Amino acid sequence: MKVTHMSLSRRTKLALAAGGVLLAVPAAALIVLYHYDWNKARPWLNEKVSAAIERPFAIRGTLALSWQRQPQELGWRSLVPWPHLLARDVHLGNPAPMLAAATHSGDAVPADMASAAELSFSLNPLALLEQKITIPLLSFTAPQVYLQRTADGKNNWTFQQNRQSPWRLDLQRVVFSKGSVRLVDAPQHIDATAHLDTLAQDSQYGVSWRAEGRWNKQPVSGQGKAGAVLSLQGDQPFPLQGKVQVGLVNIAAEGTLTRPLQLAAIDFRLKVGGASMARLYALTGLVLPETPPFATEGRLRGTLAGRHNRWTYEQFTGRVGSSDIAGQLVYEQKQPRGHLSGTVQSKLLQFADLGPLIGADSNASKQARGLPAVQPSEKVLPVETFKTERWTSIDADVSYRAARIVRTEQLPISHLETEFHLRDGVLKLTPLNFDFAGGKLASTVTLDGSGRDAKNAIRADLAASARGIRLKELFPHLPQLQATVGVINADTRLSATGNSVATLLAQSNGELKTRISQGQISKLLLEQMGLNIGSIVLTKLVGDKQVKLNCLAGDFAVTDGLAQTRSFIVDTEDATVRISGAVSLDDERLDLTMKPDSKGLRIISLRSPIYVRGTFKRPDVDIDKGVLALRAGGAIALATLAAPVAALAPLISGGGSSDTPCAPLLAEAARKPVAPPPGKKLAPRRQGQEYVSKRN
């Protein structure tokens, strides 16, 4: 028994000794690790991190180590303390290919992508056994960050894992304080810097920021707030708020980013305003029309998933000039071009706000939109060129409706609806319809700006029809027409090449036809047109009356911007008025002659041709003074030789033909107008009056 007792005692001692050794080894290791000078480990750590991320990494300052337990770990893992490293003067380099490309191109690129006065992080020691460097939280003090994207789309913030190295980097979140971030983006032409500062007493935002720089050659400035913790993995939102001015555009936004480095998703309350919607092209790449100053507010949501990004500006409201707008726009990234779709509507549209769409606003307005004052003072038709080089950057399908239009009395237009369709540089407005002078005007417009023309000009095609246009509403400022009954129907088809409204009309070809089949017109107006002085006096004394309008038929041929009358006749029961001549859309000049012909006996008729001449800017109406003087002179001569009745003979007008062929005139005017392909001339008529090109 004694031997057995001694044997057990030895075994116990041996076991205790073995256990003590097992406990002493890790305890000694911990003591060594705790007291070890970790500055000696910097070369090893720099090497392993550099190999994992394939770019230079260096801790140039001191390196200290402490141990911290991680309560978020579960089970026995929560008992394992993690090493927490504190490093000073830390530098992260740019990828070698980017530095080599910059050296070859002569661009100035700093060696460091980022540096910090101090950096701290915890390492998962168990992950090191799997050759993985897992850093849940990386904290920077006074960071200096340089982000760059080259013209080919490559950037320095995407970390490529070295497939040859067994080590992997798993960085989850970043915390930063006072410092700066510079972004140099070649595709967007951005070179801007944001200066950061810590906000100590803000529960939502951790830092404030102030930005300055340039974007597409436009100055950039702004300020705001941002979250202090940047989540690189997972879907934790990153709050962001601020106001930015880029050139003539102001932006105010507040919301969140998800995975900001990848811009996985955004959700902002967004306000955008500026001198013209077209100025947004430099920021967004969206082809929007020229407009007066605008301001909108809505919700911007974006989902970025590789090549299938989708942005929605929804429930937005705002103003363009003095008009209200509301609606929703959606932009989707597609191949070969992105696509913009949506609906926009206005309850009240000021017609003058449509002027900038075609450059029909003043030079002062153009300068306010950020464009040169190019409109000559003597020109009416807009010469501002269309920016067709942008049309091939995007496709679009957007509809627009205006319920009510505020206009001048000289332009009796109301309800407007149109749809914009842009495909491969070809813009179509199908339809472009509005109410006009009590009737309807329906049209389609095609503008081919794809650049296939040798001169890079637009190839345009217009088809329009007017139905039920009321004469008295067409000229509301003429009191003589307010008792007029009758409606006009008209059709036109034009084609052209050019790069502005002025050049398109100056090179247009096609036909214009107009007609009135029946109605009534003011007798006083007809008498004034025929200079029937006696009837004018009587009408003024006893009142006006209505004269039956048999027909109005007009047929114009347009060649190289010269609209010439093939026939233009107004026929009533009392008189026939024939109009001939041309209107030059190139020179903006009028050259029309109106020849009235009375059908009945007229007292003191000084019937004479009336000329409508001058420019669009300064039209002039004149009477053939030679004919007028001849008739008046004959009357005076006879008055001295004969009785008063004989003296009146030269002033008495016999009736003209009463069988004006309205039927064939109306039939010709009702024929569908035609136009040649853009850039081609309309073939001369084989029968009847031919017209001559202004180029001849």
Side-chain angles (χ1 to χ4, degrees):
M1 295 294 296
K2 186 177 180 180
V3 174
T4 303
H5 176 74
M6 290 180 62
S7 176
L8 290 173
S9 178
R10 288 177 180 175
R11 290 179 180 177
T12 301
K13 291 179 180 180
L14 290 173
L16 291 173
V21 171
L22 291 175
L23 292 174
V25 170
L30 289 175
I31 293 173
V32 171
L33 289 174
Y34 185 79
H35 292 283
Y36 180 73
D37 183 5
W38 284 96
N39 289 292
K40 297 179 180 179
R42 283 184 301 171
W44 177 87
L45 187 60
N46 292 343
E47 179 186 354
K48 297 306 178 184
V49 173
S50 298
I53 63 177
E54 285 194 309
R55 66 179 67 193
F57 174 82
I59 301 173
R60 299 176 184 173
T62 59
L63 178 63
L65 176 70
S66 62
W67 296 85
Q68 300 175 356
R69 293 181 59 182
Q70 306 297 316
Q72 73 274 12
E73 293 291 314
L74 301 177
W76 62 269
R77 294 176 180 271
S78 63
L79 301 176
V80 179
W82 286 21
H84 181 79
L85 289 92
L86 176 63
R88 291 182 172 85
D89 194 13
V90 181
H91 296 260
L92 177 65
N94 274 303
M98 179 170 288
L99 291 174
T103 301
H104 179 73
S105 62
D107 295 334
V109 176
D112 286 346
M113 170 194 165
S115 64
E118 188 173 279
L119 178 149
S120 62
F121 60 92
S122 296
L123 281 175
N124 184 343
L126 299 177
L128 293 174
L129 300 176
E130 301 175 0
Q131 295 185 312
K132 182 190 297 185
I133 302 174
T134 299
I135 303 176
L137 182 66
L138 182 62
S139 178
F140 289 99
T141 300
Q144 304 293 320
V145 181
Y146 176 87
L147 304 177
Q148 183 181 27
R149 184 169 62 160
T150 57
D152 57 4
K154 297 179 180 179
N155 63 72
N156 67 341
W157 59 78
T158 299
F159 288 83
Q160 302 294 332
Q161 297 288 338
N162 188 343
R163 297 181 180 180
Q164 296 179 351
S165 173
W167 290 90
R168 296 291 181 268
L169 175 66
D170 179 19
L171 178 59
Q172 299 172 2
R173 293 183 299 160
V174 174
V175 177
F176 47 88
S177 59
K178 185 174 183 179
S180 67
V181 178
R182 181 183 176 189
L183 173 63
V184 178
D185 189 293
Q188 296 295 330
H189 307 287
I190 301 173
D191 188 349
T193 301
H195 303 278
L196 311 176
D197 203 351
T198 304
L199 292 173
Q201 298 181 353
D202 195 311
S203 59
Q204 181 179 4
Y205 300 102
V207 297
S208 64
W209 59 269
R210 175 178 53 84
E212 58 189 10
R214 300 190 71 81
W215 190 335
N216 271 315
K217 300 181 180 180
Q218 298 293 321
V220 175
S221 62
Q223 59 184 4
K225 301 176 183 179
V229 180
L230 185 64
S231 178
L232 304 183
Q233 300 179 19
D235 295 325
Q236 181 179 350
F238 178 74
L240 184 64
Q241 174 266 331
K243 296 179 180 180
V244 177
Q245 181 170 352
V246 183
L248 299 177
V249 176
N250 299 309
I251 302 171
E254 183 171 10
T256 59
L257 303 176
T258 302
R259 283 177 292 184
L261 290 186
Q262 290 81 31
L263 281 180
I266 69 169
D267 191 344
F268 279 104
R269 191 66 189 173
L270 181 67
K271 297 180 182 179
V272 182
S276 171
M277 286 189 179
R279 304 290 83 76
L280 292 173
Y281 177 79
L283 304 179
T284 64
L286 300 180
V287 178
L288 298 174
E290 289 286 351
T291 67
F294 75 98
T296 66
E297 179 178 359
R299 183 185 182 188
L300 178 65
R301 295 188 298 123
T303 302
L304 287 77
R307 297 184 178 180
H308 303 285
N309 302 338
R310 179 185 175 92
W311 301 78
T312 303
Y313 191 35
E314 60 189 20
Q315 299 177 348
F316 71 83
T317 58
R319 303 197 70 80
V320 178
S322 300
S323 308
D324 68 277
I325 60 169
Q328 174 173 299
L329 294 173
V330 177
Y331 174 76
E332 297 177 274
Q333 184 176 346
K334 295 183 176 182
Q335 295 298 328
R337 290 170 298 277
H339 181 257
L340 178 68
S341 61
T343 58
V344 182
Q345 58 272 348
S346 297
K347 295 179 181 178
L348 180 63
L349 169 66
Q350 291 281 354
F351 192 80
D353 292 334
L354 297 178
L357 281 153
I358 57 174
D361 55 339
S362 66
N363 279 336
S365 175
K366 289 177 172 60
Q367 290 179 320
R369 292 191 278 122
L371 296 176
V374 296
Q375 188 68 26
S377 59
E378 72 280 2
K379 288 282 188 178
V380 173
L381 299 177
V383 302
E384 183 178 319
T385 58
F386 297 106
K387 295 179 174 60
T388 56
E389 68 275 7
R390 300 178 177 178
W391 293 9
T392 55
S393 65
I394 189 176
D395 291 339
D397 295 283
V398 178
S399 65
Y400 175 73
R401 303 287 185 275
R404 180 185 169 208
I405 300 177
V406 176
R407 49 169 172 77
T408 63
E409 293 184 355
Q410 288 74 23
L411 193 62
I413 185 174
S414 54
H415 178 80
L416 169 67
E417 62 177 84
T418 186
E419 294 182 2
F420 298 85
H421 302 284
L422 182 61
R423 289 284 186 283
D424 192 19
V426 179
L427 175 63
K428 294 183 178 180
L429 279 67
T430 53
L432 174 58
N433 299 341
F434 47 86
D435 297 345
F436 184 73
K440 300 283 186 181
L441 196 152
S443 63
T444 60
V445 180
T446 300
L447 301 174
D448 186 348
S450 58
R452 286 184 279 267
D453 185 88
K455 298 181 180 179
N456 203 33
I458 295 173
R459 298 166 58 85
D461 195 347
L462 165 68
S465 63
R467 296 292 181 269
I469 307 302
R470 298 178 182 177
L471 281 171
K472 64 180 180 180
E473 294 189 25
L474 186 60
F475 302 102
H477 56 291
L478 291 180
Q480 299 93 328
L481 281 178
Q482 295 317 295
T484 298
V485 177
V487 294
I488 297 177
N489 295 325
D491 296 276
T492 187
R493 183 71 185 269
L494 295 173
S495 64
T497 59
N499 58 6
S500 68
V501 172
T503 56
L504 285 171
L505 290 175
Q507 302 180 55
S508 58
N509 295 276
E511 293 181 327
L512 169 64
K513 298 174 182 290
T514 182
R515 59 197 179 278
I516 300 177
S517 58
Q518 60 183 354
Q520 293 179 335
I521 193 168
S522 165
K523 182 177 182 180
L524 176 59
L525 180 61
L526 289 174
E527 300 294 358
Q528 289 174 333
M529 292 174 63
L531 295 180
N532 298 314
I533 298 175
S535 295
I536 293 174
V537 173
L538 292 175
T539 303
K540 289 289 187 180
L541 291 175
V542 301
D544 194 8
K545 74 172 187 177
Q546 295 299 294
V547 175
K548 180 181 178 182
L549 177 64
N550 296 324
C551 68
L552 180 152
D555 184 3
F556 286 84
V558 183
T559 304
D560 282 345
L562 187 70
Q564 289 186 302
T565 58
R566 288 168 170 164
S567 62
F568 196 166
I569 295 177
V570 181
D571 185 69
T572 73
E573 61 183 354
D574 283 2
T576 299
V577 180
R578 302 175 187 275
I579 304 172
S580 62
V583 177
S584 173
L585 301 174
D586 184 8
D587 301 328
E588 296 191 12
R589 298 194 65 85
L590 303 165
D591 188 7
L592 297 172
T593 301
M594 304 171 62
K595 293 183 178 180
D597 184 12
S598 302
K599 292 183 177 181
L601 187 65
R602 294 291 180 269
I603 304 296
I604 319 178
S605 176
L606 300 181
R607 190 175 67 247
S608 171
I610 300 174
Y611 301 114
V612 180
R613 293 172 176 168
T615 65
F616 292 0
K617 192 85 170 182
R618 296 179 179 83
D620 179 58
V621 179
D622 197 8
I623 303 169
D624 191 327
K625 298 179 178 61
V627 174
L628 187 64
L630 180 63
R631 288 180 175 269
I636 295 172
L638 289 176
T640 61
L641 300 175
V645 174
L648 296 175
L651 302 180
I652 296 176
S653 171
S657 174
S658 60
D659 57 350
T660 301
C662 274
L665 289 173
L666 291 173
E668 175 62 27
R671 289 176 56 188
K672 186 177 181 180
V674 297
K680 303 295 183 180
K681 296 182 182 181
L682 192 67
R685 297 177 65 184
R686 295 183 179 276
Q687 297 179 349
Q689 179 184 2
E690 294 189 357
Y691 52 91
V692 181
S693 168
K694 65 181 176 63
R695 308 297 184 194
N696 296 338

